Amino acid sequence: MTPAPDAPQRFKFHFLNDQGQPAGMFRKKGSWDGETLTLDDLTLPAAALLEVQVRDKLLFLAVPVGGNEGEDEATEAAGPQVGTVGASISGGATAQSLKAAIDVARSAVWAESHREQLERDGRGAAFRSATCPHCAATVVLSDMPRTPQVYCAFCGTLWTERTAADPPAWERKHRICEECGYFAAPRKFTVFYFYFLLVVYGWNTRSTWRCPACMRGDAWKMLILNAPFLLGVPVALTQLTRTYGSDLTGGPYAGLDAGNKAARAGRFDAAIAKYRAILERLGAGAEVKYNLGLALAGAGDADRAADAFLASLDDCANYVPAFERVAPLLEEAGRTDELAELKRQWA
């Protein structure tokens, strides 16, 4: 059943233009009532929000775009076209709180729709779902084998079933880095440059989300280029320190950041050794086996890379990143039986 709507979240916002900048001078009113997102005169039911992403104050929504009556059968079979709506949230509810609430609602609606479809097909007993302990979204697991770990596509986290009642904090901090594609601990970094040329001075600043291994080179560059002007040095030192943080060198993922750094530098043998050392003490580790698959693929060993991705799915049957990587490798290698079984599960 769809959860009862919480108290409405109200906020002010600007729509984003094609360049991703706020459009118009005046803020518009928006609200989320637990079932429907309203942006000025645009009304979007939870089920229609195909994807929700947040970057600081920016909210990005993927929504289906209605087709034309004259569309041919091939276009119709390909599914609905998708458009993007962007909004800069500037008052009231935050972009993060909106995403969290929307994800809970839309995942519940989709899960209920899936359950009803299985009932109509006479397969109601096949329905299985889980609630993400990190974001409370509903994860559909029908036809998936039971595995030690579960993946939430809504918040991007993996969790271990045996600790779901009291999930460790490090689970939430780790996910796929959008820049390098490796499983890591992405975080928000500030890139800041100050300059002074005779009577002209100024600065340039922006935020970026990436893993420490991806940021380390830019942090050193920032320190070097800011050194002559001093004012930018504290920011550079802070960001550089964060790329070598103590939380990257200890705990269950000790060695992960070093492995990712080696992989980014093309030293795949060193990266593979790091990942295997982590797996020896971690037990179930779909995320590390995924990184191992990436490193093996980078080293040119496609067959063993496919095996690593399959091992990742043995630990977490619904781990989307591993499935997306292994499917083309199995097809290329002619491993049709394994590919057919995966497609059956993921249908």
Side-chain angles (χ1 to χ4, degrees), residues 1-344:
M1 297 296 291
T2 303
D6 295 326
Q9 296 191 46
R10 305 188 187 281
F11 54 93
K12 298 290 184 66
F13 75 99
H14 288 85
F15 281 116
L16 300 179
N17 58 25
D18 293 340
Q19 288 72 45
Q21 300 298 319
M25 292 180 58
F26 302 104
R27 296 187 300 175
K28 301 179 183 295
K29 294 181 179 180
S31 66
W32 164 255
D33 64 5
E35 297 179 348
T36 303
L37 180 67
T38 301
L39 299 173
D40 195 25
D41 57 355
L42 179 63
T43 301
L44 299 168
L49 300 172
L50 306 179
E51 186 67 37
V52 182
Q53 294 293 337
V54 167
R55 282 296 179 270
D56 295 329
K57 296 182 179 181
L58 305 182
L59 183 71
F60 298 95
L61 310 165
V63 296
V65 178
N68 298 320
E69 293 184 1
E71 284 185 344
D72 57 29
E73 292 183 1
T75 302
E76 185 176 352
Q81 296 182 352
V82 177
T84 302
V85 177
S88 175
I89 311 300
S90 55
T94 65
Q96 288 78 11
S97 68
L98 287 170
K99 172 178 167 51
I102 292 170
D103 282 347
V104 170
R106 69 192 183 106
S107 65
V109 170
W110 293 349
E112 180 64 12
S113 176
H114 173 64
R115 187 194 64 77
E116 291 174 352
Q117 182 61 54
L118 288 177
E119 291 281 0
R120 288 192 292 270
D121 295 341
R123 299 182 60 238
F127 177 77
R128 186 165 67 93
S129 67
T131 300
C132 176
H134 297 287
C135 72
T138 305
V139 179
V140 174
L141 298 168
S142 304
D143 292 321
M144 294 282 181
R146 293 183 181 273
T147 51
Q149 294 174 290
V150 181
Y151 174 69
C152 177
F154 296 93
C155 66
T157 58
L158 272 164
W159 80 85
T160 302
E161 286 275 48
R162 61 182 173 81
T163 61
D166 186 22
W170 48 262
E171 280 186 352
R172 186 63 189 262
K173 293 180 180 179
H174 288 77
R175 66 194 66 210
I176 300 295
C177 173
E178 295 178 2
E179 182 162 327
C180 67
Y182 280 81
F183 181 84
R187 57 190 64 183
K188 182 180 178 180
F189 290 99
T190 299
V191 178
F192 179 88
Y193 291 100
F194 180 85
Y195 58 88
F196 181 84
L197 301 172
L198 297 178
V199 295
V200 178
Y201 67 91
W203 60 87
N204 177 273
T205 184
R206 63 183 175 88
S207 297
T208 179
W209 285 86
R210 59 178 78 172
C211 69
C214 289
M215 181 64 190
R216 202 160 290 151
D218 279 347
W220 278 110
K221 176 183 175 182
M222 191 164 50
L223 178 62
I224 293 169
L225 295 183
N226 278 311
F229 308 111
L230 298 181
L231 289 178
V233 171
V235 178
L237 284 173
T238 300
Q239 303 309 305
L240 185 60
T241 300
R242 293 178 67 228
T243 68
Y244 291 92
S246 59
D247 58 333
L248 303 172
T249 57
Y253 289 133
L256 181 66
D257 184 64
N260 292 348
K261 183 182 177 183
R264 280 181 55 84
R267 295 184 287 110
F268 296 112
D269 288 344
I272 290 167
K274 289 288 186 183
Y275 299 145
R276 285 179 172 158
I278 298 171
L279 288 170
E280 286 181 2
R281 64 173 184 272
L282 193 62
E287 61 280 32
V288 182
K289 292 175 181 177
Y290 167 80
N291 279 10
L292 179 61
L294 291 180
L296 287 166
D301 196 340
D303 202 49
R304 290 172 65 201
D307 289 338
F309 290 130
L310 288 174
S312 175
L313 292 171
D314 285 340
D315 284 347
C316 180
N318 75 323
Y319 195 33
V320 175
F323 172 75
E324 291 177 340
R325 294 283 185 171
V326 76
L329 290 176
L330 293 177
E331 186 171 9
E332 183 179 346
R335 296 164 66 170
T336 54
D337 291 344
E338 293 166 289
L339 180 59
E341 174 59 18
L342 275 182
K343 288 185 174 180
R344 184 194 67 77

